[in-house]
């Protein structure tokens, strides 16, 4: 069942504008007085409006157009107005009196304002879809490797000094053999001791020989040693 009802009705003569350089009007319905209605349809929740005019004697429909938020209604004189919608013909409406013209203009303008005030449903702003997982940048997580796998991060105390190396770590020796390193040090100390003993023995023998020499010979030997140093 249609929810369309007539909310306004007048008598009027309807014209259609002809396309040309000069404004020309073609009377519709043989210039007869028509019965013009403004209909409202509430069946879809939001009111839809249209203007329909027909000739009572012949029931010929000469005007059937919607009233929209951008409908143009212009009063050209006390008893004549123009009606136009985008991409539709322009119509001229002649009224029997200025009072009827003013009343019709008030109804049409009020209807257009109501349509403009209707709140449109909110449109959610466009958000691009997330990229595929393969294109996601690596997460800034130090516990994850470059391949996304979890890696073990050792606990480091910044205030704790590093531990000293053990004696058996063998730094600088292949295989880290600590016993080989201790053996080398022992050999080096033994060589040092032999050289020291030989030096002391040689110095003692030289002192004994100097004691057997005369004073002049001893001085000559001491001078020679001083020059050699």
């Amino acid at each position: 069942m249609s929810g369309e009802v007539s909310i306004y009705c007048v008598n009027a003569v309807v014209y259609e504008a002809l396309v040309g350089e000069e404004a020309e009007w073609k009377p519709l319905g043989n210039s007869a007085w028509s019965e013009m209605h403004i209909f409202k349809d509430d069946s879809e929740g939001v009111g839809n409006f249209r203007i329909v005019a027909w000739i009572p004697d012949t029931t010929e429909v000469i005007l059937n157009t919607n009233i929209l938020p951008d409908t143009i209604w212009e009063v050209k004189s006390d008893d004549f107005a123009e009606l136009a919608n985008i991409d539709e013909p322009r119509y001229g409406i002649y009224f029997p009196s200025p009072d009827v013209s003013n009343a019709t203009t008030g109804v049409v303008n009020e209807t257009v304002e109501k349509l403009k005030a209707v709140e449109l449903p909110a449109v959610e702003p466009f958000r691009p879809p997330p990229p595929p997982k393969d294109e996601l940048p690596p997460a800034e997580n130090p516990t994850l490797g470059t391949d996304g796998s979890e890696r073990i991060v050792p606990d480091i105390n910044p205030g704790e000094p590093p531990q000293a190396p053990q004696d058996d770590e063998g730094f600088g020796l292949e295989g880290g053999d600590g016993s080989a390193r201790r053996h080398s040090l022992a050999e080096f100390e033994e060589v040092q001791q032999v050289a020291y003993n030989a030096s002391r023995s040689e110095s003692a023998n030289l002192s004994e020989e100097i004691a057997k020499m005369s004073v002049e010979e001893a001085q000559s030997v001491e001078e020679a040693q001083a020059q050699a140093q």
Side-chain angles (χ1 to χ4, degrees):
M1 181 178 178
S2 174
E4 191 174 58
V5 295
S6 175
I7 61 174
Y8 185 76
C9 178
V10 296
N11 293 116
V13 178
V14 182
Y15 298 84
E16 182 178 347
L18 299 178
V19 179
E21 295 181 359
E22 298 181 0
E24 295 184 8
W25 295 99
K26 173 187 175 182
L28 303 178
N30 295 323
S31 301
W33 289 98
S34 69
E35 186 176 325
M36 189 176 77
H37 290 258
I38 296 179
F39 289 97
K40 179 182 180 182
D41 186 0
D42 290 330
S43 61
E44 297 181 1
V46 179
N48 295 319
F49 300 86
R50 63 176 179 145
I51 299 178
V52 182
W54 63 87
I55 305 300
D57 294 339
T58 63
T59 65
E60 177 189 0
V61 177
I62 58 177
L63 175 63
N64 185 2
T65 186
N66 292 320
I67 301 178
L68 305 171
D70 55 358
T71 293
I72 299 174
W73 180 275
E74 293 182 346
V75 177
K76 296 298 183 179
S77 66
D78 292 342
D79 53 6
F80 190 84
E82 293 183 10
L83 170 67
N85 284 324
I86 298 175
D87 298 330
E88 292 185 8
R90 186 161 51 99
Y91 297 97
I93 313 296
Y94 175 74
F95 297 98
S97 69
D99 291 340
V100 175
S101 176
N102 291 336
T104 306
T105 298
V107 173
V108 173
N109 288 340
E110 182 180 357
T111 303
V112 171
E113 292 301 320
K114 285 182 179 179
L115 292 173
K116 290 180 178 180
V118 173
E119 294 185 1
L120 298 177
V123 179
E124 187 175 353
F126 173 76
R127 294 184 177 88
K133 294 183 178 180
D134 295 341
E135 299 180 6
L136 289 175
E140 295 182 359
N141 190 341
T143 62
L144 296 180
T146 56
D147 58 351
S149 60
E150 186 175 0
R151 64 181 183 181
I152 300 176
V153 179
D155 295 332
I156 299 177
N157 186 355
E160 182 180 353
Q163 297 181 357
Q166 301 296 327
D167 292 340
D168 58 352
E169 290 185 359
F171 290 96
L173 298 177
E174 294 183 359
D177 191 352
S179 61
R181 181 173 180 268
R182 288 193 295 270
H183 181 68
S184 298
L185 290 176
E187 291 181 347
F188 177 72
E189 292 176 354
E190 183 179 354
V191 171
Q192 280 187 323
Q193 186 64 37
V194 171
Y196 175 74
N197 293 336
S199 176
R200 291 187 61 184
S201 176
E202 181 179 355
S203 178
N205 294 334
L206 180 60
S207 299
E208 292 178 358
E209 292 179 359
I210 292 174
K212 296 177 181 180
M213 296 180 183
S214 62
V215 177
E216 291 80 1
E217 292 176 346
Q219 290 178 352
S220 299
V221 172
E222 290 177 359
E223 291 176 2
Q225 286 181 343
Q227 292 178 1
Q229 293 178 356

